[in-house]
Amino acid sequence: WRKFDTWPPPAEETRFHLHPDERLSVEAPPDDSPPDRYRYDPADPTPAVGGPLFGFYSKRGAVDNRELESRPDVLVYTTPPLQREVEIVGPVRLELYARSSLEHTDFFGRLCDVRPDGKSINVCDGLLRLAPGKGEQQQDGSSRIEIDMWATAYRFRRGHSIRLQVSSGAHPRWNRNLGTGEPI
C-alpha cells in the first residue's frame, strides 16, 4: 500500500517510444521509421478481453491477452525484459501519431505486463473516438492524438516486459465504429 498527500502523486514521467521492430523503448525511434499498419474490419471487430469493469459481454479483470495480440488488427510493442522493477502510479496516456482511411475511427491502447512465461496481462487501457476536427494535424497527414488509459498503480517485476497494444476496437465493451459518422 502507498499513501500520498496528493493525487496524482509526484512522479517522474517516462516516455516510451514505438519502434518498427515491435519494440517499446525509452530511446527515440529512427527518423526514417516506416509507419506500422493494420486493417480494422467492423464486420470482425477487435474483441474486448479483460478490462476494468465487470459485465456480461466478456471476461473482465486481468486476463491473458496473447490470443488477442496474435490478431492482424492488433499492433504490439514490447520492451526487453526489465533489469529492475518499474512502478507506475497515476494517469497513463498514449500519445499516438495515426492516420486512417476514414475520418471517423477509433483508436484503442492497452498497457500489459508480459511475464517470463509469455502471458500478457492487461494493466490499463483506453479508447479515443476520432472525428473530423479531433486530434492535432501533422504535416505528414497523420493526427497527433492522446488516449487516456486511466490511472493505475502497478509494479512491473524484474524480468517481466512492458507491452503496449494498439488497435481500433474493443467490442462489445465499446461499440464498434463503422466509420460512417452516424451515431454509434
Side-chain angles (χ1 to χ4, degrees), residues 61-172:
V63 299
D64 189 353
N65 280 249
R66 286 181 289 187
E67 185 176 339
L68 173 69
E69 293 166 351
S70 70
R71 288 177 56 110
D73 57 353
V74 178
L75 301 177
V76 295
Y77 303 90
T78 311
T79 67
L82 299 170
Q83 298 301 308
R84 62 178 178 80
E85 290 187 343
V86 173
E87 188 171 82
I88 58 174
V89 179
V92 177
R93 73 179 182 281
L94 169 58
E95 180 182 323
L96 190 63
Y97 292 82
R99 183 182 325 189
S100 174
S101 59
L102 299 174
E103 289 185 305
H104 297 270
T105 190
D106 292 348
F107 288 100
F108 177 76
R110 171 170 279 169
L111 188 66
C112 292
D113 179 353
V114 182
R115 298 175 179 171
D117 66 2
K119 282 186 180 176
S120 178
I121 305 300
N122 50 293
V123 175
C124 61
D125 57 39
L127 181 128
L128 177 77
R129 203 145 262 168
L130 193 60
K134 250 187 168 176
E136 181 184 311
Q137 286 303 118
Q138 304 297 301
Q139 286 186 345
D140 66 358
S142 66
S143 293
R144 179 191 165 279
I145 59 174
E146 282 194 21
I147 301 172
D148 179 4
M149 295 173 47
W150 298 38
T152 191
Y154 192 85
R155 180 179 296 150
F156 291 89
R157 302 271 181 207
R158 183 176 173 267
H160 289 216
S161 296
I162 299 171
R163 177 170 289 162
L164 176 72
Q165 296 175 14
V166 177
S167 65
S168 284
H171 180 75

Side-chain angles (χ1 to χ4, degrees), residues 54-65:
F54 293 99
F56 301 104
Y57 303 115
S58 67
K59 275 176 121 177
R60 299 297 186 186
V63 299
D64 189 353
N65 280 249

Side-chain angles (χ1 to χ4, degrees), residues 11-17 25-27 84 86-88 91-93 162:
E12 178 184 324
E13 183 174 295
T14 303
R15 294 173 79 83
F16 285 82
H17 302 273
S25 173
V26 293
E27 300 167 6
R84 62 178 178 80
V86 173
E87 188 171 82
I88 58 174
V92 177
R93 73 179 182 281
I162 299 171

